[in-house]
Amino acid sequence: MTQQKSPSGSTLAEAEAFLAEHPEIEAIDIVLHDANGIGRGKIIRRHELLGFFSSGRHLPISILGLDICGEDVHETGLIWDQGDGDLRAWPIPGTLKPLHNTTPPRGEAFMSLYTLDGRPMTSDPRHALQRQVDTLAAKGLHPAGAFELEFFLLANERGPDGKARPAADVLDGRKSHKTEVYSVDHLHGMMPLFSDIYAGAAKAGIRAETVISEYAPGQYELTLHYREDVMQAADDLMRLKRIVRAQARAHGVTACFMAKPIEQYAGSGMHFHVSLMDGEGRNVFTEQKSGEWPETLLHALGGLRETMAESMLVFAPHANSWRRFANQSYAPVSASWGVNNRSVALRIPEGDPRARRIEHRPSGVDANPYLVAATVLAGIAHGLEKGIDPGPETTGNAYAEGGSDIPRDWNAAIRAARDSAFLKEALGEDMHRTFTAVKEAEYARVARTISDVDFDLYLHTV
């Protein structure tokens, strides 16, 4: 089979080795992630895999111009403005993996979109992140990091009040409506499900680590091993979400990645831990003397603080995202920074100085990790280039400080993002246009929807 040169760097040998190693695999999910981080693509049969790796796969340009419901957003310029023509998707090297617990056995590969002559299609979120990685690399800096995954396990059916409710234990059906934060015994009831999640992660080459019972009934957190390549860290997060969702479904419960599914409890974040390495592999955020933060770390914090307001739409992209932000909810409400302090937006964790990093806390688990990482890296680069002072550290309760340095709601965040020169540069002009157009279309959809709360408040009142 004659192979065209793949602009992603994929090789036919990878597909051949996979098929030889996994004769049981009958089909493969090929997945592209759009502006919302939703996996879109196809399921191909085993015999089609070599053709995918040798020639790519045609996909319509409109696949990146869809809203959360999968409907066209014409304002992206990706639909009829370009005749909805085909571009070519190519597999991402190293992402072809077997899937756990599938019948019949299937595999999975991530892909990215390119023009027909091999140039990156710049409304693809992966390309936005790669652009920021390359920008830092040109300065001799290499970002490393990991995401945390918080999520809810919910019953498949809502309660009598129509609201979401925590899933019963998959082991014995026991129900609990208590917070159970850090309860080890509480985790035991979900261990059959978590065992399958860990097995799926292992098959995918992901080092999923600690699991905890988080700060709400039915809420859990999985931590991921630090990656020297932030693209790999984002891939890990996206793949692990698919694994959690599939294994939860297999065990009769629903994995929920909404930022705030239960109104009276804390929402789910997607904290991003990030550090920078120099050409020798040294962490440039590491202090040389205890208590004296290096300028690189301080300037990175300064850049992230200065650009946070106009970037919040990336970190909180949906209507539901904004329900997560409330005082003392473990979600930050100001662009604050501090050491060993979970009330701030930018936290420096305690620990070995060689592992010094910034924990970026604003993002909800509903955010797109490729765009989150791209925006965070651009904010860090901005701070380093301008030598921005982060201002005083918050040493107590950041919620008590108040502040109005980030938008208060979704609409304000959309306006700030749309008008932001920084975000346009961080994401690239095409990705910025696509993302903000999709968000404006979704806002219009929500704004014209008459919800149950409208009838509850006004039907018999006004």
Side-chain angles (χ1 to χ4, degrees):
M1 180 176 294
T2 302
Q3 183 181 18
Q4 298 181 25
K5 184 174 176 58
S6 168
S8 71
S10 59
T11 65
L12 187 60
E14 181 180 354
E16 291 172 335
F18 179 83
L19 293 175
E21 186 178 353
H22 298 285
E24 77 284 1
I25 295 289
E26 295 186 17
I28 299 94
D29 299 1
I30 56 174
V31 183
L32 173 83
H33 293 102
D34 68 8
N36 277 316
I38 294 174
R40 303 193 186 276
K42 302 181 179 184
I43 300 177
I44 63 174
R45 305 303 296 170
R46 178 186 178 89
H47 69 271
E48 297 178 274
L49 184 65
L50 295 182
F52 175 44
F53 270 75
S54 65
S55 303
R57 191 85 179 202
H58 283 132
L59 289 175
I61 192 172
S62 59
I63 199 170
L64 292 177
L66 305 175
D67 68 7
I68 196 73
C69 298
E71 296 185 7
D72 292 341
V73 177
H74 297 281
E75 292 79 5
T76 62
L78 301 179
I79 318 299
W80 300 123
D81 289 8
Q82 304 193 40
D84 196 18
D86 279 345
L87 297 182
R88 186 170 289 158
W90 289 89
I92 304 302
T95 65
L96 179 58
K97 305 289 183 180
L99 292 173
H100 174 66
N101 200 22
T102 56
T103 305
R106 299 198 325 275
E108 175 186 71
F110 287 176
M111 55 185 174
S112 200
L113 204 58
Y114 294 82
T115 61
L116 297 180
D117 61 2
R119 289 174 291 115
M121 197 287 174
T122 47
S123 288
D124 183 326
R126 286 186 66 95
H127 295 315
L129 175 52
Q130 189 61 54
R131 183 167 161 268
Q132 292 302 327
V133 170
D134 292 343
T135 297
L136 285 168
K139 300 175 182 178
L141 297 171
H142 308 280
F147 290 91
E148 296 176 9
L149 180 66
E150 295 179 0
F151 58 95
F152 280 81
L153 294 174
L154 302 177
N156 291 337
E157 302 298 329
R158 298 183 191 178
D161 58 0
K163 296 181 179 180
R165 52 182 177 162
D169 289 352
V170 299
L171 182 64
D172 56 15
R174 186 176 74 88
K175 297 179 181 179
S176 173
H177 293 277
K178 295 182 290 184
T179 299
E180 307 275 16
V181 65
Y182 281 94
S183 169
V184 176
D185 289 343
H186 177 65
L187 293 174
H188 292 169
M190 289 295 182
M191 282 313 297
L193 168 53
F194 281 110
S195 292
D196 272 330
I197 290 171
Y198 282 121
K203 272 194 172 184
I206 297 171
R207 289 180 62 180
E209 298 185 331
T210 306
V211 60
I212 65 171
S213 178
E214 259 289 357
Y215 203 65
Q219 188 186 37
Y220 302 87
E221 177 186 287
L222 278 168
T223 59
L224 288 161
H225 188 70
Y226 220 64
R227 293 285 195 179
E228 293 181 358
D229 177 358
V230 293
M231 185 71 78
Q232 182 69 64
D235 284 345
D236 284 352
L237 194 284
M238 296 304 284
R239 198 184 293 272
L240 189 59
K241 285 178 73 171
R242 295 194 83 223
I243 291 169
V244 170
R245 185 177 282 118
Q247 300 313 315
R249 187 175 185 180
H251 284 271
V253 300
T254 296
C256 175
F257 300 105
M258 291 171 63
K260 183 81 165 180
I262 302 177
E263 61 192 41
Q264 66 266 40
Y265 293 106
S268 293
M270 187 182 71
H271 303 160
F272 179 37
H273 295 251
V274 60
S275 54
L276 287 181
M277 305 298 170
D278 65 16
E280 303 299 321
R282 292 183 295 258
N283 186 351
V284 301
F285 288 166
T286 297
E287 63 272 23
Q288 299 304 309
K289 186 177 179 181
S290 179
E292 294 184 5
W293 301 118
E295 286 190 348
T296 48
L297 177 60
L298 293 174
H299 293 162
L301 290 166
L304 291 172
R305 290 197 70 197
E306 185 169 284
T307 59
M308 188 174 295
E310 56 201 299
S311 304
M312 280 302 298
L313 185 63
V314 173
F315 310 143
H318 307 295
N320 179 259
S321 307
W322 292 85
R323 306 192 193 285
R324 174 172 162 260
F325 297 99
N327 276 344
Q328 302 180 46
S329 64
Y330 290 96
V333 296
S334 64
S336 50
W337 76 277
V339 181
N340 196 26
N341 186 337
R342 286 183 170 83
S343 68
V344 299
L346 304 167
R347 173 178 175 252
I348 302 175
E350 289 282 6
D352 187 338
R354 293 172 296 179
R356 191 66 68 218
R357 63 196 184 274
I358 297 170
E359 180 186 2
H360 184 272
R361 297 174 59 83
S363 297
V365 74
D366 55 345
N368 182 331
Y370 300 111
L371 298 186
V372 169
T375 305
V376 168
L377 295 184
I380 289 172
H382 175 73
L384 296 177
E385 180 181 350
K386 303 295 184 182
I388 298 172
D389 187 329
E393 172 194 349
T394 294
T395 57
N397 183 1
Y399 296 114
E401 294 179 358
S404 57
D405 49 359
I406 62 174
R408 294 292 93 186
D409 58 43
W410 191 30
N411 190 32
I414 292 172
R415 294 197 307 270
R418 183 191 60 210
D419 298 336
S420 169
F422 163 77
L423 198 60
K424 184 177 290 187
E425 171 60 28
L427 302 182
E429 186 172 348
D430 291 338
M431 186 74 252
H432 176 267
R433 182 192 66 250
T434 298
F435 180 66
T436 55
V438 166
K439 294 298 109 183
E440 287 177 323
E442 291 171 359
Y443 178 83
R445 177 190 290 272
V446 172
R448 66 175 177 262
T449 300
I450 301 172
S451 67
D452 288 343
V453 73
D454 288 323
F455 289 106
D456 183 50
L457 292 176
Y458 309 122
L459 179 62
H460 299 293
T461 307
V462 295

